[in-house]
Amino acid sequence: MKTFLKKHFKKFLIACFVIGIFIFSINFYIVKSTEAYVFSDIKKLPKVDAIIVLGAKVSREKLSYVLEDRLLAGVNIIYANKAQALLLSGDHGQKEYDEVNSMRKYILRRNFNIKKEQIFMDHAGFDTYDSMFRAKEIFGIKSAIIVTQDFHINRSVYIARSLGIEAYGFAVDESIYKESLRFNWRIRELLTRVKAFKDVLISSKPTFLGEKIPISGNGMKSWDTIEKAK
C-alpha cells in the first residue's frame, strides 16, 4: 500500500511540475512579447484610431474604483490628442447589469468636453477576448490604445495584436489598491493568460458579433435606441 501511494504521489508531483512549467511558460511569453507596447506615460503613446476602455464591476450605475480609474485615464489620453474615438467595451448582457451605459453616463455627467459622437459602446464585451475581437470586426479598429490596470494590460495587448490590431497598452496605476487585492488579481491572471493563449490558438469566436459600426463614424449609432432619443 505504501509503495502504491509513494508511486502515485511521485506521478502527482511530476504532473504538478509539468503543469506549473506550462503555465509559467505561457505567462512569460505573453508578458515578454507585449512589454514593448505597454506604457505608463501618456506622452509616449502613439496616435491611433481609438482608445479602448475595458469594463469592470459596476453597482447599478456606480462605477467601481477600478473602472473609474480606467475611464479617467481614457479621457486624459483623448485630451492628449492620441485619438478622437473612445470605445467603451463591457458587459451589458442583462438589463439590470450594464457596464457600458454606466461608463457613458459617467463621462457625460462629468462634462469632460468629449462629444457624444466620439463615444462608441460595445455592449457585448463579455471578456477581454470578445472585446478585442469585436473592436476589430464590428468597429473596424486597426490601431488602438487599450486602457486597463497593469495586471491586465499584457493579456489585453497580446490578444489584440494576435487578432491583427496594432495595439498599445496604457497601464493604469494600481499601487493605490490593497496589496491583498492586487495579489488576488495576479494569481487569477496566471490562469486567464492561459485561456487567452488557448483562445488565440484555436481562433475562438466571440459570444456575439452583429452589425458593423465603423469607428470613423458617429459613435451614437452604437448607443441603445432609448438613449439616442434623449
Side-chain angles (χ1 to χ4, degrees):
M1 184 68 178
K2 288 183 179 180
T3 304
F4 175 83
L5 290 175
K6 187 176 180 180
K7 180 181 177 182
H8 285 276
F9 182 67
K10 284 183 178 179
K11 287 183 179 180
F12 173 75
L13 288 179
I14 291 170
C16 288
F17 178 76
V18 171
I19 292 170
I21 291 296
F22 176 73
I23 293 172
F24 172 81
S25 298
I26 288 176
N27 275 264
F28 182 83
Y29 171 70
I30 288 176
V31 171
K32 284 298 178 182
S33 65
T34 56
E35 61 183 5
Y37 308 109
V38 173
F39 300 88
S40 56
D41 184 350
I42 291 177
K43 294 178 183 178
K44 294 181 179 179
L45 290 166
K47 288 194 174 184
V48 293
D49 292 341
I51 312 301
I52 304 175
V53 179
L54 297 175
K57 187 177 179 181
V58 298
S59 179
R60 298 190 180 182
E61 290 186 2
K62 181 175 175 54
L63 309 188
S64 60
Y65 291 124
V66 168
L67 184 51
E68 186 175 10
D69 286 346
R70 292 180 190 180
L71 267 186
L72 292 174
V75 168
N76 284 329
I77 296 170
I78 290 282
Y79 284 167
N81 198 32
K82 300 299 183 178
Q84 294 302 310
L86 186 64
L87 175 60
L88 311 177
S89 183
D91 186 347
H92 185 192
Q94 302 176 35
K95 185 178 179 180
E96 60 273 14
Y97 186 78
D98 185 351
E99 292 176 359
V100 287
N101 275 302
S102 298
M103 287 191 273
R104 177 187 59 81
K105 290 176 181 179
Y106 177 91
I107 290 172
L108 297 179
R109 228 175 16 242
R110 291 294 194 93
N111 295 316
F112 281 127
N113 197 30
I114 293 178
K115 297 177 182 178
K116 292 181 177 181
E117 293 81 6
Q118 291 178 269
I119 303 174
F120 290 75
M121 300 170 63
D122 179 4
H123 302 266
F126 300 126
D127 62 19
T128 307
Y129 186 86
D130 281 19
S131 292
M132 297 305 119
F133 197 108
R134 288 173 54 82
K136 183 186 179 187
E137 297 299 326
I138 300 298
F139 297 94
I141 293 175
K142 295 180 180 178
S143 61
I145 294 167
I146 303 165
V147 182
T148 186
Q149 274 72 21
D150 184 59
F151 78 92
H152 182 207
I153 198 65
N154 295 95
R155 173 164 56 98
S156 304
V157 172
Y158 166 75
I159 293 171
R161 284 193 162 262
S162 297
L163 293 174
I165 299 173
E166 182 188 340
Y168 303 89
F170 181 77
V172 179
D173 181 23
E174 60 183 47
S175 63
I176 61 172
Y177 304 115
K178 291 181 179 178
E179 190 172 334
S180 58
L181 180 61
R182 289 156 53 201
F183 177 78
N184 288 337
W185 286 342
R186 294 188 181 282
I187 292 298
R188 186 179 64 185
E189 190 67 12
L190 292 174
L191 297 179
T192 49
R193 285 179 187 152
V194 174
K195 179 183 181 298
F197 184 83
K198 181 268 295 181
D199 285 335
V200 167
L201 186 66
I202 67 174
S203 300
S204 294
K205 300 299 180 186
T207 307
F208 296 112
L209 280 173
E211 180 185 352
K212 293 184 182 296
I213 307 170
I215 201 71
S216 57
N218 186 334
M220 293 182 73
K221 290 184 178 180
S222 63
W223 293 21
D224 296 322
T225 303
I226 190 169
E227 297 297 339
K228 292 178 187 176
K230 290 183 180 179

